[in-house]
Amino acid sequence: MAENLFIVYAIFAFFSLGATLGLFTRGQKHHTYFTYIPSAFASLLTIILSVVVFSSENTHLTFFNIQHLFDFEIFIDGVSAFFLLIIGLISFAVSIYSLSYSKKFDDKKNNSALGMLFNIFILSMILVVISNNVFFFLIFWELMSLTSFFLVIYEHENKNNLKSGLIYLVMTHLGTGFIFASFILMYTQTGSFSFDSFRDVTIIPQYVKDIAFVLAFVGFGTKAGMVPLHTWLPKAHPSAPSNVSALMSAVMLKIAIYGIVRHLFDFNAVDGSPDYVWLGIGIIIVGSISALVGILYALIENDIKRALAFSSIENVGIIFIGLGFSVVFAAFHLQALSVLSFIASMFHTLNHSIFKGLLFMTAGSVYYSTHTKNIEELGGLIKKMPWTAMMFLIGSIAIVGLPPLNGFISEWLTLQSLLAVFQIPSNILQVSLAFTILVFALTIGLAGATFVRLFGITFLSKGRSTKAVNAVEVPKFMLIGKAILASSCVLLGILPFIGMNLIVSAFNLPYMSSSPFETISITNTSNSNFASLMMPGMLVILASVFVGVFVFVRIIGGKTKTIKYGTWDCGFGNLSEKTQYTATSLAEPIRRIFGVFYKPHNEVDVDFYTKENFYLKKSINVISTTKNIFDEKLYGKTISGSLFVLNKIRKIQSGKVNAYILYIMITLITLLLFVGFGTHE
């Protein structure tokens, strides 16, 4: 335990050093090294801390004990260690990436603030995960929210960034309010703000736990980006610098998942009681809606970072689906299926952190080199930025769930748990939950279309602007940062037992460890296997298919004459980029199919050579737009209704003294009546 405490001190010291040096080395030649090398060391120590906790006992310390409210307790168990591993791994890769990326802000006056906030942001997330007291949990949660807010508005000269930051600030504090209400409700039953008291299942009535969980789910779900409280996410993530976007999407959303898991399985202690069925179904419904809505918006988005942000909403939905099924299966004593769903959910949490961090860093590399996030202005970057293109392709294959990368494993495990829904001893629930399979399948299919479109329009074909034509590969540190996460995608895909054993160890699950050459299998009490799969075997099959196709083509096709033309010229040559598919045209069929959801609107402006002849068109300009029904129907009406009420209330402030005296008199009389009736009773 003393060693763990020493590591915690060292992590705190290195992040503090990075924040301080970042502030005071402004303008110096190698200021990025002073800022991001300490954060990289601290991130490595965070990974070491999580590994030490996995292999030893939990760490539980109280630093000062003035009053119960202000006890600063640290509790690092397997759950905390799992999320510390996510924070450490992604932060390490992003810190390396930032050594070169942050130099793009050297011309800004406050470039030192970026490094300082970057270090404090990561440290605050670590402190949230290891806090064991309501007061300090909320303090560090607020520190995380405020530092991320200032990072979102870092480029505040852009009014859209400022607006995005304000929306994020409002929504994050709305979520904090729900979390605070949940903790206060638990406190009224335990009389203590320590999380240890919340774990005592005997002193808190079940209905209080249920209400507290619903409040916490809304609060943490707002931070995680669940629909319909997701409105801040696709606005804030693209506004922040790309290294911060990677941290927000890959790590900060997972801190919200940590809060839900801690509340659900630690404070609520879900067991084999039918009382938890409704709770699991609620999580599944929210997850299904979030997954489908997120990917539908990602599919038509032309801003590459906004598309990735919407994709994060989809993946959070998939994580929720796994969590919900785990609760439902546990409620019916289907323990093996509950474990399968939970492992799928947590594995997808780990995987999404890795490939979404990678994708945001590659999107940042594209913006770094071309100065645009609009994929309509890109194209042909695979020749200009081959390493970045390869890593974006790895991230895309992983996120759409294709073998042999890591996304395939977690999505395949999730699908296996969904297909086992028929084992629930309730016909109504079997039929109802079976619709989740349809939603999941549709979501995975649309995710494939989304990333084919993003990769194809951005990296293939011809460049559509001088920005794309003049693009060059990014500096080496940006490539190294991305390569770390790309390697992790491959490693966890080919050797998934590593990730599964981490989850089993972290959450103390009844699952036997595997070796690389054993099948992944989870066995129930009747010795029936779920989810049997051996990735090395699948890798051999895939390699055999590629070799077989190559040999078949070479033998059957014989020798061929190779003639090289430019890409996308169809063998004719001299075709321009105007003959290619655009991002909008590629998504047009989907836009028509889901027209009720998107509410598309097209404006066509045609210019003719002569007004007399409408057949000779000089140019055609098409502007295609869609509407966000949540912003229009939900938030728009909520804001207009609030403004209407507030304007009415504002009329009370007339500026006349006699009116204020009247208000005071009315208040005093009301209070006297209240006290009088209370005394009478």
Side-chain angles (χ1 to χ4, degrees), residues 216-515:
F217 185 68
V218 174
F220 289 120
T222 304
K223 182 69 87 177
M226 74 176 185
V227 175
L229 301 172
H230 67 287
T231 185
W232 65 271
L233 199 153
K235 297 181 176 65
H237 285 197
S239 298
S242 293
N243 54 346
V244 177
S245 302
L247 284 177
M248 290 180 72
S249 186
V251 183
M252 191 180 76
L253 301 189
K254 308 307 175 298
I255 303 302
I257 300 295
Y258 162 78
I260 292 172
V261 170
R262 178 68 80 186
H263 218 294
L264 188 60
F265 295 100
D266 201 6
F267 301 164
N268 222 308
V270 171
D271 55 18
S273 168
D275 296 337
Y276 289 109
V277 172
W278 69 269
L279 196 148
I281 291 174
I283 298 173
I284 292 170
I285 291 172
V286 171
S288 301
I289 295 172
S290 298
L292 193 55
V293 169
I295 199 61
L296 279 172
Y297 279 117
L299 183 51
I300 61 166
E301 186 56 59
N302 289 344
D303 184 318
I304 188 169
K305 289 182 69 176
R306 273 178 65 86
L308 294 178
F310 277 119
S311 167
S312 293
I313 297 170
E314 171 231 341
N315 282 278
V316 165
I318 292 174
I319 292 168
F320 281 175
I321 289 173
L323 277 180
F325 269 90
S326 177
V327 174
V328 172
F329 286 136
F332 287 101
H333 302 282
L334 299 168
Q335 292 304 324
L337 287 174
S338 178
V339 169
L340 171 65
S341 303
F342 188 77
I343 290 177
S345 177
M346 290 300 100
F347 207 165
H348 201 68
T349 301
L350 174 63
N351 289 340
H352 180 252
S353 296
I354 295 170
F355 52 62
K356 190 49 66 71
L358 169 62
L359 287 169
F360 263 112
M361 285 197 284
T362 51
S365 300
V366 170
Y367 184 57
Y368 181 94
S369 187
T370 64
H371 307 290
T372 181
K373 293 179 286 185
N374 185 358
I375 59 175
E376 293 284 27
E377 298 178 3
L378 300 174
L381 293 184
I382 195 170
K383 295 179 180 176
K384 307 289 182 180
M385 306 170 69
W387 290 106
T388 297
M390 184 182 72
M391 292 180 200
F392 192 93
L393 182 62
I394 290 174
S396 299
I397 293 173
I399 200 170
V400 301
L402 291 177
L405 300 188
N406 59 341
F408 167 72
I409 303 297
S410 53
E411 292 187 2
W412 186 79
L413 290 174
T414 304
L415 183 61
Q416 292 299 310
S417 66
L418 300 189
L419 292 175
V421 71
F422 66 89
Q423 295 194 29
I424 295 175
S426 167
N427 293 334
I428 296 176
L429 282 180
Q430 286 182 18
V431 174
S432 304
L433 293 177
F435 284 101
T436 311
I437 301 172
L438 299 177
V439 172
F440 184 76
L442 181 59
T443 300
I444 298 302
L446 292 174
T450 300
F451 282 91
V452 165
R453 175 175 175 267
L454 283 180
F455 183 79
I457 298 297
T458 304
F459 292 99
L460 302 181
S461 68
K462 292 178 179 289
R464 298 181 189 80
S465 68
T466 53
K467 297 173 183 176
V469 171
N470 297 327
V472 294
E473 189 57 275
V474 293
K476 60 181 179 182
F477 283 122
M478 293 175 71
L479 293 175
I480 293 171
K482 291 181 291 187
I484 292 169
L485 297 187
S487 304
S488 301
C489 288
V490 177
L491 180 67
L492 288 177
I494 296 175
L495 303 174
F497 80 102
I498 297 175
M500 294 184 67
N501 284 349
L502 277 175
I503 295 167
V504 168
S505 173
F507 296 94
N508 195 25
L509 299 174
Y511 167 72
M512 296 300 292
S513 303
S514 311
S515 76

Side-chain angles (χ1 to χ4, degrees), residues 76 106 294 310 382 398 414 418 462 562 627 663 672:
I76 311 175
D106 279 352
F310 277 119
I382 195 170
T414 304
L418 300 189
K462 292 178 179 289
T562 303
K627 293 182 180 178
Y663 300 153
L672 287 172

Side-chain angles (χ1 to χ4, degrees), residues 584-611:
T584 304
S585 59
L586 203 58
E588 183 62 20
I590 300 294
R591 202 191 309 261
R592 289 178 181 274
I593 293 171
F594 295 96
V596 176
F597 184 74
Y598 293 128
K599 297 186 180 302
H601 176 69
N602 293 332
E603 288 184 17
V604 181
D605 183 18
V606 182
D607 187 18
F608 301 96
Y609 282 100
T610 63
K611 294 182 179 179

